[in-house]
Amino acid sequence: GPEMPLFSVPKEVAVGTAMLGVAFATGMLAVFGTPKSSKSIIGKSGPLWQYILDHSLREHPILKKLRLLTADHPWSKMMVSCDQAQLMANLVKLIKAKKVIEIGVFTGYNTLNMALVLPDNGRVIACDINEDYVKIGKPLWKEAGVEHKIDLRIKPAIQTLDELLASGEAETFDFAFIDADKESCNEYYEKCLRLIKKGGIIAIDNVLWSGRVLKPRKDDLATQSIHHLNEKLLRDARVNISMLPMGDGVTLAFKL
């Protein structure tokens, strides 16, 4: 049967298993159902969710290789869902982007995904504070022939964004993808909004946060931050928005 993308089986099943082929067998879905996020957010039954992936996912072979490598990582749940990454690449292509910012690289799946669709002189400024995770994806960036399009900055993303603004790069970027520590999401958004051109897009990941945004606890700073940004975006006259129930929720903000 068709291979099952990692994110349509529960993380505890897909992650750490020595037999990835077994984890991706179609029969698994019938037994285990879909992860909570796709069930609660999208409300799809297992087979229908699988149908979406079977009939829309077109994954570059090196992206697939990196996804399977990431599946073995204890923090593999941090990776962007493959169907969502595909939408990001399609948006990057649609607006003919040349300069992209990514905040939160992890193993570099989405970085590679965007670099693959950028023109040869395109660049992804990839921001992360952990080089260990990135080491997993770096050799595959090279294998895919897109390493020269990726400018990796290992330091707090706020510093990198401030450096870009200080060097006169405001309103020169086409696309930004924000997927890092949630407590800083508003600050990332504000700085990206200054760096993005009019007509550019900012994608903010995890805006539904496994449903925790419905009842943010007082002591849960991450959820509070996401919820406050969601409320702010609703009224933000600087952008048009669409909040999509894809992956763990993603908001697209189109700069006016």
Side-chain angles (χ1 to χ4, degrees), residues 5-7 11 15 24 37 57 59 62-85 102 104-111 113 133 136 177 179 205-206 247-248:
L6 172 64
F7 298 94
K11 298 302 183 304
V15 175
F24 293 130
S37 58
L57 192 65
E59 197 176 31
I62 298 178
L63 274 176
K64 179 179 172 183
K65 196 169 164 182
L66 181 48
R67 173 166 56 79
L68 296 183
L69 271 175
T70 306
D72 278 334
H73 196 282
W75 289 99
S76 64
K77 67 178 187 292
M78 293 198 326
M79 189 173 128
V80 65
S81 66
C82 40
D83 57 323
Q84 184 183 321
E102 182 185 39
V105 175
F106 190 39
T107 63
Y109 180 92
N110 198 49
T111 323
N113 171 68
Y133 299 153
I136 297 169
F177 186 74
D179 184 14
D205 202 16
N206 305 113
D248 191 25

mmCIF file of all heavy atoms in Angstrom, residues 5-7 11 15 24 37 57 59 62-85 102 104-111 113 133 136 177 179 205-206 247-248:
data_model
loop_
_atom_site.group_PDB
_atom_site.id
_atom_site.type_symbol
_atom_site.label_atom_id
_atom_site.label_comp_id
_atom_site.label_asym_id
_atom_site.label_seq_id
_atom_site.Cartn_x
_atom_site.Cartn_y
_atom_site.Cartn_z
ATOM 1 N N PRO A 5 2.582 9.221 5.536
ATOM 2 C CA PRO A 5 3.439 10.248 6.114
ATOM 3 C C PRO A 5 3.437 10.163 7.635
ATOM 4 O O PRO A 5 2.439 9.803 8.242
ATOM 5 C CB PRO A 5 2.806 11.553 5.626
ATOM 6 C CG PRO A 5 2.097 11.151 4.372
ATOM 7 C CD PRO A 5 1.595 9.763 4.633
ATOM 8 N N LEU A 6 4.563 10.494 8.211
ATOM 9 C CA LEU A 6 4.774 10.374 9.647
ATOM 10 C C LEU A 6 3.651 10.983 10.470
ATOM 11 O O LEU A 6 3.253 10.464 11.485
ATOM 12 C CB LEU A 6 6.091 11.087 9.989
ATOM 13 C CG LEU A 6 6.431 11.246 11.470
ATOM 14 C CD1 LEU A 6 6.629 9.888 12.094
ATOM 15 C CD2 LEU A 6 7.678 12.091 11.626
ATOM 16 N N PHE A 7 3.106 12.111 10.002
ATOM 17 C CA PHE A 7 2.225 12.880 10.876
ATOM 18 C C PHE A 7 0.804 12.395 10.874
ATOM 19 O O PHE A 7 -0.053 12.983 11.474
ATOM 20 C CB PHE A 7 2.325 14.361 10.518
ATOM 21 C CG PHE A 7 3.714 14.807 10.746
ATOM 22 C CD1 PHE A 7 4.626 14.796 9.704
ATOM 23 C CD2 PHE A 7 4.169 15.121 12.001
ATOM 24 C CE1 PHE A 7 5.947 15.143 9.923
ATOM 25 C CE2 PHE A 7 5.481 15.463 12.224
ATOM 26 C CZ PHE A 7 6.369 15.479 11.176
ATOM 27 N N LYS A 11 2.372 10.120 17.453
ATOM 28 C CA LYS A 11 3.809 10.308 17.601
ATOM 29 C C LYS A 11 4.446 9.128 18.330
ATOM 30 O O LYS A 11 5.509 8.675 17.978
ATOM 31 C CB LYS A 11 4.094 11.596 18.377
ATOM 32 C CG LYS A 11 3.606 12.856 17.699
ATOM 33 C CD LYS A 11 4.217 13.028 16.326
ATOM 34 C CE LYS A 11 3.792 14.314 15.655
ATOM 35 N NZ LYS A 11 2.355 14.488 15.535
ATOM 36 N N VAL A 15 7.385 7.577 16.326
ATOM 37 C CA VAL A 15 8.705 8.006 16.756
ATOM 38 C C VAL A 15 9.422 6.874 17.465
ATOM 39 O O VAL A 15 8.848 6.166 18.265
ATOM 40 C CB VAL A 15 8.570 9.225 17.708
ATOM 41 C CG1 VAL A 15 9.923 9.603 18.253
ATOM 42 C CG2 VAL A 15 7.953 10.377 16.953
ATOM 43 N N PHE A 24 4.423 3.018 8.900
ATOM 44 C CA PHE A 24 3.748 3.726 7.819
ATOM 45 C C PHE A 24 2.739 2.846 7.086
ATOM 46 O O PHE A 24 2.111 3.292 6.144
ATOM 47 C CB PHE A 24 4.773 4.278 6.808
ATOM 48 C CG PHE A 24 5.620 5.355 7.403
ATOM 49 C CD1 PHE A 24 6.992 5.305 7.293
ATOM 50 C CD2 PHE A 24 5.047 6.401 8.096
ATOM 51 C CE1 PHE A 24 7.782 6.296 7.854
ATOM 52 C CE2 PHE A 24 5.819 7.389 8.658
ATOM 53 C CZ PHE A 24 7.197 7.341 8.538
ATOM 54 N N SER A 37 -4.533 16.294 17.211
ATOM 55 C CA SER A 37 -4.623 17.613 16.585
ATOM 56 C C SER A 37 -5.499 17.563 15.339
ATOM 57 O O SER A 37 -6.378 18.374 15.166
ATOM 58 C CB SER A 37 -3.244 18.150 16.241
ATOM 59 O OG SER A 37 -2.575 17.256 15.381
ATOM 60 N N LEU A 57 -0.103 15.019 -1.268
ATOM 61 C CA LEU A 57 1.297 15.173 -0.877
ATOM 62 C C LEU A 57 2.231 14.770 -2.022
ATOM 63 O O LEU A 57 2.160 13.655 -2.529
ATOM 64 C CB LEU A 57 1.594 14.316 0.362
ATOM 65 C CG LEU A 57 2.931 14.590 1.043
ATOM 66 C CD1 LEU A 57 2.982 15.997 1.619
ATOM 67 C CD2 LEU A 57 3.196 13.570 2.145
ATOM 68 N N GLU A 59 6.071 14.802 -2.222
ATOM 69 C CA GLU A 59 7.245 15.069 -1.394
ATOM 70 C C GLU A 59 8.528 14.743 -2.157
ATOM 71 O O GLU A 59 8.705 13.621 -2.622
ATOM 72 C CB GLU A 59 7.144 14.228 -0.114
ATOM 73 C CG GLU A 59 8.053 14.678 1.003
ATOM 74 C CD GLU A 59 7.833 13.863 2.269
ATOM 75 O OE1 GLU A 59 7.481 12.664 2.166
ATOM 76 O OE2 GLU A 59 8.016 14.416 3.359
ATOM 77 N N ILE A 62 14.383 13.805 -1.216
ATOM 78 C CA ILE A 62 15.316 14.167 -0.140
ATOM 79 C C ILE A 62 14.554 14.745 1.056
ATOM 80 O O ILE A 62 14.957 14.564 2.206
ATOM 81 C CB ILE A 62 16.431 15.103 -0.650
ATOM 82 C CG1 ILE A 62 17.244 14.370 -1.733
ATOM 83 C CG2 ILE A 62 17.372 15.517 0.486
ATOM 84 C CD1 ILE A 62 18.345 15.155 -2.379
ATOM 85 N N LEU A 63 13.422 15.403 0.808
ATOM 86 C CA LEU A 63 12.555 15.830 1.914
ATOM 87 C C LEU A 63 12.051 14.609 2.682
ATOM 88 O O LEU A 63 12.042 14.589 3.912
ATOM 89 C CB LEU A 63 11.355 16.615 1.386
ATOM 90 C CG LEU A 63 11.508 18.117 1.161
ATOM 91 C CD1 LEU A 63 10.236 18.681 0.540
ATOM 92 C CD2 LEU A 63 11.826 18.861 2.452
ATOM 93 N N LYS A 64 11.652 13.597 1.930
ATOM 94 C CA LYS A 64 11.154 12.371 2.564
ATOM 95 C C LYS A 64 12.256 11.733 3.409
ATOM 96 O O LYS A 64 12.018 11.296 4.542
ATOM 97 C CB LYS A 64 10.674 11.400 1.486
ATOM 98 C CG LYS A 64 10.168 10.082 2.029
ATOM 99 C CD LYS A 64 9.702 9.197 0.897
ATOM 100 C CE LYS A 64 9.369 7.814 1.407
ATOM 101 N NZ LYS A 64 8.982 6.911 0.316
ATOM 102 N N LYS A 65 13.460 11.722 2.867
ATOM 103 C CA LYS A 65 14.603 11.158 3.580
ATOM 104 C C LYS A 65 14.806 11.899 4.911
ATOM 105 O O LYS A 65 15.024 11.285 5.956
ATOM 106 C CB LYS A 65 15.839 11.306 2.680
ATOM 107 C CG LYS A 65 17.034 10.476 3.064
ATOM 108 C CD LYS A 65 18.051 10.542 1.917
ATOM 109 C CE LYS A 65 19.417 10.087 2.334
ATOM 110 N NZ LYS A 65 20.399 10.193 1.230
ATOM 111 N N LEU A 66 14.715 13.234 4.871
ATOM 112 C CA LEU A 66 14.889 14.039 6.081
ATOM 113 C C LEU A 66 13.736 13.821 7.060
ATOM 114 O O LEU A 66 13.945 13.770 8.268
ATOM 115 C CB LEU A 66 15.026 15.520 5.716
ATOM 116 C CG LEU A 66 15.246 16.516 6.868
ATOM 117 C CD1 LEU A 66 16.328 16.061 7.831
ATOM 118 C CD2 LEU A 66 15.572 17.895 6.321
ATOM 119 N N ARG A 67 12.529 13.665 6.547
ATOM 120 C CA ARG A 67 11.384 13.400 7.433
ATOM 121 C C ARG A 67 11.572 12.079 8.165
ATOM 122 O O ARG A 67 11.309 11.978 9.366
ATOM 123 C CB ARG A 67 10.082 13.371 6.619
ATOM 124 C CG ARG A 67 8.878 12.940 7.441
ATOM 125 C CD ARG A 67 7.565 13.230 6.771
ATOM 126 N NE ARG A 67 7.437 12.658 5.458
ATOM 127 C CZ ARG A 67 7.136 11.370 5.207
ATOM 128 N NH1 ARG A 67 6.974 10.524 6.219
ATOM 129 N NH2 ARG A 67 7.002 10.943 3.979
ATOM 130 N N LEU A 68 12.044 11.058 7.472
ATOM 131 C CA LEU A 68 12.240 9.759 8.111
ATOM 132 C C LEU A 68 13.395 9.808 9.127
ATOM 133 O O LEU A 68 13.319 9.192 10.187
ATOM 134 C CB LEU A 68 12.494 8.671 7.059
ATOM 135 C CG LEU A 68 11.323 8.401 6.106
ATOM 136 C CD1 LEU A 68 11.650 7.262 5.153
ATOM 137 C CD2 LEU A 68 10.035 8.084 6.865
ATOM 138 N N LEU A 69 14.431 10.568 8.812
ATOM 139 C CA LEU A 69 15.527 10.761 9.775
ATOM 140 C C LEU A 69 15.007 11.472 11.026
ATOM 141 O O LEU A 69 15.343 11.106 12.145
ATOM 142 C CB LEU A 69 16.634 11.619 9.147
ATOM 143 C CG LEU A 69 17.740 10.925 8.376
ATOM 144 C CD1 LEU A 69 18.658 11.967 7.741
ATOM 145 C CD2 LEU A 69 18.549 10.002 9.278
ATOM 146 N N THR A 70 14.169 12.483 10.817
ATOM 147 C CA THR A 70 13.626 13.267 11.933
ATOM 148 C C THR A 70 12.684 12.421 12.786
ATOM 149 O O THR A 70 12.562 12.641 13.993
ATOM 150 C CB THR A 70 12.895 14.518 11.394
ATOM 151 O OG1 THR A 70 13.789 15.239 10.551
ATOM 152 C CG2 THR A 70 12.459 15.440 12.535
ATOM 153 N N ALA A 71 12.037 11.440 12.165
ATOM 154 C CA ALA A 71 11.097 10.579 12.896
ATOM 155 C C ALA A 71 11.767 9.869 14.060
ATOM 156 O O ALA A 71 11.139 9.557 15.064
ATOM 157 C CB ALA A 71 10.484 9.553 11.941
ATOM 158 N N ASP A 72 13.076 9.625 13.936
ATOM 159 C CA ASP A 72 13.814 8.934 14.994
ATOM 160 C C ASP A 72 14.213 9.852 16.141
ATOM 161 O O ASP A 72 14.729 9.398 17.145
ATOM 162 C CB ASP A 72 15.088 8.304 14.405
ATOM 163 C CG ASP A 72 14.794 6.967 13.739
ATOM 164 O OD1 ASP A 72 13.808 6.323 14.132
ATOM 165 O OD2 ASP A 72 15.542 6.585 12.831
ATOM 166 N N HIS A 73 13.994 11.153 15.969
ATOM 167 C CA HIS A 73 14.433 12.108 16.976
ATOM 168 C C HIS A 73 13.406 12.203 18.106
ATOM 169 O O HIS A 73 12.210 12.227 17.859
ATOM 170 C CB HIS A 73 14.614 13.495 16.315
ATOM 171 C CG HIS A 73 15.416 14.426 17.143
ATOM 172 N ND1 HIS A 73 14.887 15.087 18.235
ATOM 173 C CD2 HIS A 73 16.725 14.793 17.077
ATOM 174 C CE1 HIS A 73 15.832 15.823 18.790
ATOM 175 N NE2 HIS A 73 16.954 15.673 18.109
ATOM 176 N N PRO A 74 13.882 12.256 19.361
ATOM 177 C CA PRO A 74 12.918 12.325 20.478
ATOM 178 C C PRO A 74 11.990 13.534 20.415
ATOM 179 O O PRO A 74 10.888 13.507 20.948
ATOM 180 C CB PRO A 74 13.808 12.385 21.723
ATOM 181 C CG PRO A 74 15.220 12.454 21.260
ATOM 182 C CD PRO A 74 15.273 12.129 19.813
ATOM 183 N N TRP A 75 12.438 14.609 19.758
ATOM 184 C CA TRP A 75 11.608 15.812 19.654
ATOM 185 C C TRP A 75 10.945 15.933 18.280
ATOM 186 O O TRP A 75 10.615 17.034 17.848
ATOM 187 C CB TRP A 75 12.440 17.060 19.940
ATOM 188 C CG TRP A 75 12.816 17.182 21.372
ATOM 189 C CD1 TRP A 75 14.001 16.849 21.953
ATOM 190 C CD2 TRP A 75 11.979 17.636 22.443
ATOM 191 N NE1 TRP A 75 13.959 17.085 23.304
ATOM 192 C CE2 TRP A 75 12.724 17.566 23.636
ATOM 193 C CE3 TRP A 75 10.655 18.109 22.505
ATOM 194 C CZ2 TRP A 75 12.208 17.941 24.869
ATOM 195 C CZ3 TRP A 75 10.145 18.488 23.732
ATOM 196 C CH2 TRP A 75 10.918 18.395 24.905
ATOM 197 N N SER A 76 10.741 14.809 17.614
ATOM 198 C CA SER A 76 10.231 14.860 16.230
ATOM 199 C C SER A 76 8.889 15.567 16.121
ATOM 200 O O SER A 76 8.532 16.078 15.065
ATOM 201 C CB SER A 76 10.122 13.452 15.650
ATOM 202 O OG SER A 76 9.176 12.708 16.379
ATOM 203 N N LYS A 77 8.150 15.653 17.237
ATOM 204 C CA LYS A 77 6.850 16.334 17.191
ATOM 205 C C LYS A 77 6.997 17.832 16.893
ATOM 206 O O LYS A 77 6.032 18.503 16.551
ATOM 207 C CB LYS A 77 6.071 16.121 18.491
ATOM 208 C CG LYS A 77 6.679 16.783 19.718
ATOM 209 C CD LYS A 77 5.795 16.542 20.938
ATOM 210 C CE LYS A 77 6.269 17.328 22.159
ATOM 211 N NZ LYS A 77 7.565 16.855 22.680
ATOM 212 N N MET A 78 8.218 18.367 17.020
ATOM 213 C CA MET A 78 8.434 19.789 16.739
ATOM 214 C C MET A 78 8.431 20.088 15.236
ATOM 215 O O MET A 78 8.369 21.240 14.840
ATOM 216 C CB MET A 78 9.771 20.258 17.328
ATOM 217 C CG MET A 78 9.787 20.234 18.829
ATOM 218 S SD MET A 78 11.081 21.232 19.615
ATOM 219 C CE MET A 78 12.478 21.144 18.547
ATOM 220 N N MET A 79 8.524 19.047 14.418
ATOM 221 C CA MET A 79 8.638 19.285 12.980
ATOM 222 C C MET A 79 7.299 19.698 12.377
ATOM 223 O O MET A 79 6.246 19.202 12.758
ATOM 224 C CB MET A 79 9.137 18.012 12.298
ATOM 225 C CG MET A 79 9.500 18.208 10.851
ATOM 226 S SD MET A 79 10.255 16.702 10.208
ATOM 227 C CE MET A 79 9.252 16.454 8.781
ATOM 228 N N VAL A 80 7.363 20.619 11.433
ATOM 229 C CA VAL A 80 6.165 21.074 10.729
ATOM 230 C C VAL A 80 5.543 19.890 9.986
ATOM 231 O O VAL A 80 6.251 19.005 9.517
ATOM 232 C CB VAL A 80 6.527 22.226 9.754
ATOM 233 C CG1 VAL A 80 7.445 21.759 8.638
ATOM 234 C CG2 VAL A 80 5.280 22.881 9.188
ATOM 235 N N SER A 81 4.214 19.834 9.894
ATOM 236 C CA SER A 81 3.582 18.725 9.185
ATOM 237 C C SER A 81 3.884 18.839 7.687
ATOM 238 O O SER A 81 4.002 19.936 7.143
ATOM 239 C CB SER A 81 2.068 18.699 9.439
ATOM 240 O OG SER A 81 1.455 19.831 8.878
ATOM 241 N N CYS A 82 4.036 17.692 7.038
ATOM 242 C CA CYS A 82 4.506 17.693 5.648
ATOM 243 C C CYS A 82 3.499 18.347 4.700
ATOM 244 O O CYS A 82 3.892 19.014 3.739
ATOM 245 C CB CYS A 82 4.857 16.283 5.201
ATOM 246 S SG CYS A 82 3.745 15.000 5.768
ATOM 247 N N ASP A 83 2.202 18.194 4.964
ATOM 248 C CA ASP A 83 1.208 18.830 4.083
ATOM 249 C C ASP A 83 1.253 20.355 4.239
ATOM 250 O O ASP A 83 1.095 21.101 3.270
ATOM 251 C CB ASP A 83 -0.203 18.291 4.363
ATOM 252 C CG ASP A 83 -0.636 18.463 5.810
ATOM 253 O OD1 ASP A 83 0.210 18.310 6.713
ATOM 254 O OD2 ASP A 83 -1.825 18.735 6.057
ATOM 255 N N GLN A 84 1.517 20.809 5.461
ATOM 256 C CA GLN A 84 1.624 22.251 5.701
ATOM 257 C C GLN A 84 2.886 22.812 5.041
ATOM 258 O O GLN A 84 2.858 23.894 4.440
ATOM 259 C CB GLN A 84 1.649 22.529 7.198
ATOM 260 C CG GLN A 84 1.657 24.005 7.541
ATOM 261 C CD GLN A 84 1.768 24.231 9.037
ATOM 262 O OE1 GLN A 84 1.175 23.500 9.832
ATOM 263 N NE2 GLN A 84 2.529 25.222 9.436
ATOM 264 N N ALA A 85 3.989 22.076 5.146
ATOM 265 C CA ALA A 85 5.232 22.509 4.506
ATOM 266 C C ALA A 85 5.030 22.660 3.000
ATOM 267 O O ALA A 85 5.534 23.591 2.380
ATOM 268 C CB ALA A 85 6.347 21.504 4.798
ATOM 269 N N GLU A 102 13.101 32.248 8.115
ATOM 270 C CA GLU A 102 12.502 31.147 8.872
ATOM 271 C C GLU A 102 12.979 31.250 10.314
ATOM 272 O O GLU A 102 14.183 31.269 10.576
ATOM 273 C CB GLU A 102 12.909 29.792 8.286
ATOM 274 C CG GLU A 102 12.250 28.638 9.036
ATOM 275 C CD GLU A 102 12.710 27.273 8.573
ATOM 276 O OE1 GLU A 102 13.913 27.107 8.276
ATOM 277 O OE2 GLU A 102 11.873 26.370 8.523
ATOM 278 N N GLY A 104 12.998 29.292 13.617
ATOM 279 C CA GLY A 104 12.801 27.934 14.116
ATOM 280 C C GLY A 104 13.073 26.944 13.005
ATOM 281 O O GLY A 104 12.246 26.730 12.134
ATOM 282 N N VAL A 105 14.263 26.355 13.026
ATOM 283 C CA VAL A 105 14.710 25.491 11.925
ATOM 284 C C VAL A 105 14.520 24.012 12.252
ATOM 285 O O VAL A 105 14.157 23.213 11.401
ATOM 286 C CB VAL A 105 16.204 25.776 11.596
ATOM 287 C CG1 VAL A 105 16.743 24.825 10.544
ATOM 288 C CG2 VAL A 105 16.366 27.229 11.140
ATOM 289 N N PHE A 106 14.781 23.658 13.520
ATOM 290 C CA PHE A 106 14.793 22.272 13.980
ATOM 291 C C PHE A 106 15.744 21.449 13.103
ATOM 292 O O PHE A 106 16.909 21.809 12.981
ATOM 293 C CB PHE A 106 13.367 21.697 14.032
ATOM 294 C CG PHE A 106 13.270 20.345 14.723
ATOM 295 C CD1 PHE A 106 14.028 20.079 15.857
ATOM 296 C CD2 PHE A 106 12.433 19.353 14.245
ATOM 297 C CE1 PHE A 106 13.956 18.836 16.493
ATOM 298 C CE2 PHE A 106 12.358 18.112 14.876
ATOM 299 C CZ PHE A 106 13.120 17.852 15.994
ATOM 300 N N THR A 107 15.289 20.386 12.429
ATOM 301 C CA THR A 107 16.225 19.596 11.608
ATOM 302 C C THR A 107 16.312 20.115 10.176
ATOM 303 O O THR A 107 17.050 19.561 9.363
ATOM 304 C CB THR A 107 15.826 18.099 11.576
ATOM 305 O OG1 THR A 107 14.544 17.967 10.953
ATOM 306 C CG2 THR A 107 15.787 17.498 12.964
ATOM 307 N N GLY A 108 15.541 21.150 9.861
ATOM 308 C CA GLY A 108 15.692 21.789 8.556
ATOM 309 C C GLY A 108 14.810 21.245 7.454
ATOM 310 O O GLY A 108 15.089 21.445 6.273
ATOM 311 N N TYR A 109 13.703 20.580 7.813
ATOM 312 C CA TYR A 109 12.775 20.045 6.792
ATOM 313 C C TYR A 109 12.112 21.183 6.017
ATOM 314 O O TYR A 109 12.134 21.214 4.792
ATOM 315 C CB TYR A 109 11.714 19.168 7.466
ATOM 316 C CG TYR A 109 10.692 18.561 6.515
ATOM 317 C CD1 TYR A 109 10.899 17.293 5.970
ATOM 318 C CD2 TYR A 109 9.517 19.232 6.185
ATOM 319 C CE1 TYR A 109 9.971 16.725 5.108
ATOM 320 C CE2 TYR A 109 8.583 18.677 5.322
ATOM 321 C CZ TYR A 109 8.812 17.415 4.790
ATOM 322 O OH TYR A 109 7.892 16.858 3.929
ATOM 323 N N ASN A 110 11.533 22.131 6.737
ATOM 324 C CA ASN A 110 10.843 23.231 6.061
ATOM 325 C C ASN A 110 11.836 24.171 5.374
ATOM 326 O O ASN A 110 11.528 24.770 4.342
ATOM 327 C CB ASN A 110 9.967 24.001 7.053
ATOM 328 C CG ASN A 110 8.921 24.845 6.345
ATOM 329 O OD1 ASN A 110 8.211 24.368 5.462
ATOM 330 N ND2 ASN A 110 8.840 26.102 6.709
ATOM 331 N N THR A 111 13.038 24.276 5.948
ATOM 332 C CA THR A 111 14.102 25.084 5.334
ATOM 333 C C THR A 111 14.427 24.527 3.951
ATOM 334 O O THR A 111 14.469 25.258 2.954
ATOM 335 C CB THR A 111 15.379 25.024 6.213
ATOM 336 O OG1 THR A 111 15.024 25.002 7.580
ATOM 337 C CG2 THR A 111 16.303 26.189 5.920
ATOM 338 N N ASN A 113 12.582 22.504 2.219
ATOM 339 C CA ASN A 113 11.359 22.580 1.431
ATOM 340 C C ASN A 113 11.242 23.934 0.707
ATOM 341 O O ASN A 113 10.938 23.987 -0.490
ATOM 342 C CB ASN A 113 10.199 22.372 2.415
ATOM 343 C CG ASN A 113 8.848 22.626 1.824
ATOM 344 O OD1 ASN A 113 8.395 21.892 0.972
ATOM 345 N ND2 ASN A 113 8.203 23.682 2.288
ATOM 346 N N TYR A 133 20.331 19.999 16.299
ATOM 347 C CA TYR A 133 19.199 19.552 15.479
ATOM 348 C C TYR A 133 19.490 19.786 13.998
ATOM 349 O O TYR A 133 19.237 18.933 13.154
ATOM 350 C CB TYR A 133 17.919 20.323 15.844
ATOM 351 C CG TYR A 133 17.438 20.169 17.260
ATOM 352 C CD1 TYR A 133 16.691 21.180 17.872
ATOM 353 C CD2 TYR A 133 17.707 19.015 18.000
ATOM 354 C CE1 TYR A 133 16.230 21.049 19.179
ATOM 355 C CE2 TYR A 133 17.254 18.890 19.305
ATOM 356 C CZ TYR A 133 16.522 19.901 19.892
ATOM 357 O OH TYR A 133 16.069 19.772 21.176
ATOM 358 N N ILE A 136 21.327 17.393 11.581
ATOM 359 C CA ILE A 136 20.615 16.257 10.958
ATOM 360 C C ILE A 136 20.266 16.584 9.511
ATOM 361 O O ILE A 136 20.413 15.756 8.617
ATOM 362 C CB ILE A 136 19.341 15.909 11.774
ATOM 363 C CG1 ILE A 136 19.738 15.464 13.195
ATOM 364 C CG2 ILE A 136 18.511 14.839 11.063
ATOM 365 C CD1 ILE A 136 18.571 15.362 14.170
ATOM 366 N N PHE A 177 8.329 32.579 7.997
ATOM 367 C CA PHE A 177 7.683 31.437 8.660
ATOM 368 C C PHE A 177 8.127 31.449 10.116
ATOM 369 O O PHE A 177 9.320 31.354 10.412
ATOM 370 C CB PHE A 177 8.084 30.132 7.983
ATOM 371 C CG PHE A 177 7.352 28.933 8.527
ATOM 372 C CD1 PHE A 177 6.021 28.714 8.212
ATOM 373 C CD2 PHE A 177 7.990 28.018 9.359
ATOM 374 C CE1 PHE A 177 5.327 27.606 8.720
ATOM 375 C CE2 PHE A 177 7.316 26.914 9.872
ATOM 376 C CZ PHE A 177 5.981 26.713 9.539
ATOM 377 N N ASP A 179 8.018 29.721 13.718
ATOM 378 C CA ASP A 179 7.746 28.467 14.420
ATOM 379 C C ASP A 179 8.842 28.235 15.456
ATOM 380 O O ASP A 179 9.681 27.350 15.312
ATOM 381 C CB ASP A 179 7.691 27.310 13.416
ATOM 382 C CG ASP A 179 7.313 25.984 14.077
ATOM 383 O OD1 ASP A 179 6.840 26.013 15.227
ATOM 384 O OD2 ASP A 179 7.497 24.927 13.440
ATOM 385 N N ASP A 205 2.964 29.518 12.884
ATOM 386 C CA ASP A 205 2.595 28.120 13.132
ATOM 387 C C ASP A 205 2.084 27.916 14.559
ATOM 388 O O ASP A 205 2.312 28.742 15.435
ATOM 389 C CB ASP A 205 3.808 27.225 12.874
ATOM 390 C CG ASP A 205 3.410 25.786 12.574
ATOM 391 O OD1 ASP A 205 2.224 25.546 12.263
ATOM 392 O OD2 ASP A 205 4.265 24.892 12.661
ATOM 393 N N ASN A 206 1.385 26.804 14.775
ATOM 394 C CA ASN A 206 0.886 26.375 16.099
ATOM 395 C C ASN A 206 -0.104 27.355 16.718
ATOM 396 O O ASN A 206 -0.144 27.520 17.937
ATOM 397 C CB ASN A 206 2.047 26.157 17.093
ATOM 398 C CG ASN A 206 3.079 25.187 16.587
ATOM 399 O OD1 ASN A 206 4.213 25.573 16.316
ATOM 400 N ND2 ASN A 206 2.710 23.932 16.423
ATOM 401 N N GLY A 247 -2.272 21.035 10.271
ATOM 402 C CA GLY A 247 -1.248 20.754 11.271
ATOM 403 C C GLY A 247 -1.793 21.139 12.637
ATOM 404 O O GLY A 247 -2.870 20.710 13.050
ATOM 405 N N ASP A 248 -1.075 22.000 13.356
ATOM 406 C CA ASP A 248 -1.499 22.482 14.677
ATOM 407 C C ASP A 248 -2.069 23.891 14.555
ATOM 408 O O ASP A 248 -2.071 24.663 15.501
ATOM 409 C CB ASP A 248 -0.292 22.457 15.634
ATOM 410 C CG ASP A 248 -0.704 22.682 17.082
ATOM 411 O OD1 ASP A 248 -1.852 22.392 17.436
ATOM 412 O OD2 ASP A 248 0.149 23.146 17.861
#
